[in-house]
Amino acid sequence: MFRFLRGRPGRLTPAEAHARTSASDAVLLDVREKSEWQAGHAPTAVHLPLGSLLAGASLPSAAQGRPVVAICRGGHRSRQAAKALAGRGVDVLDVSGGMTAWRQAGLPVVDERGMPGTVA
């Protein structure tokens, strides 16, 4: 489903990520810290902090066996997550510009209660 470039996971714009995770079996994986997640995240995203992922934590059940689109605040941590997941054999891409670009693109952000959120 996803395209890999020179052995490295590819990148998507926020709009492409939104389309792929809304219209396919791909899941959006937010790898920011808990406080960042609580302040605001994409409504359909699942959460796993990068530190936990790099320490060997399993993907959330909703993401297991599915293509993954990793996202963080600005794109650096999601790039690390995508490389780590690709090393595990996961079909993965990451979002260029992260949640900051997601918000700038006018895409939805909700807090932990499902109310309008902010990107922290």
Side-chain angles (χ1 to χ4, degrees):
M1 166 182 223
F2 293 150
R3 211 179 71 198
F4 292 87
L5 304 172
R6 296 183 194 168
R8 292 177 22 178
R11 302 196 96 174
L12 298 173
T13 66
E16 291 168 333
H18 184 260
R20 290 216 184 168
T21 57
S22 296
S24 76
D25 65 343
V27 64
L28 188 64
L29 178 69
D30 193 317
V31 297
R32 295 175 301 149
E33 295 300 318
K34 183 177 180 179
S35 61
E36 294 173 291
W37 165 264
Q38 290 171 331
H41 55 272
T44 61
V46 296
H47 183 234
L48 178 63
L50 178 62
S52 298
L53 175 72
L54 295 178
S58 297
L59 286 171
S61 59
Q64 291 182 8
R66 297 173 66 188
V68 170
V69 176
I71 194 166
C72 65
R73 180 182 170 133
H76 180 72
R77 288 176 284 178
S78 62
R79 191 72 176 151
Q80 288 181 285
K83 288 177 184 177
L85 289 169
R88 293 185 191 182
V90 174
D91 191 7
V92 60
L93 294 169
D94 79 296
V95 180
S96 181
M99 285 299 298
T100 301
W102 181 278
R103 174 56 117 187
Q104 290 172 346
L107 296 169
V109 177
V110 297
D111 67 14
E112 65 181 326
R113 298 167 302 180
M115 303 300 291
T118 61
V119 176

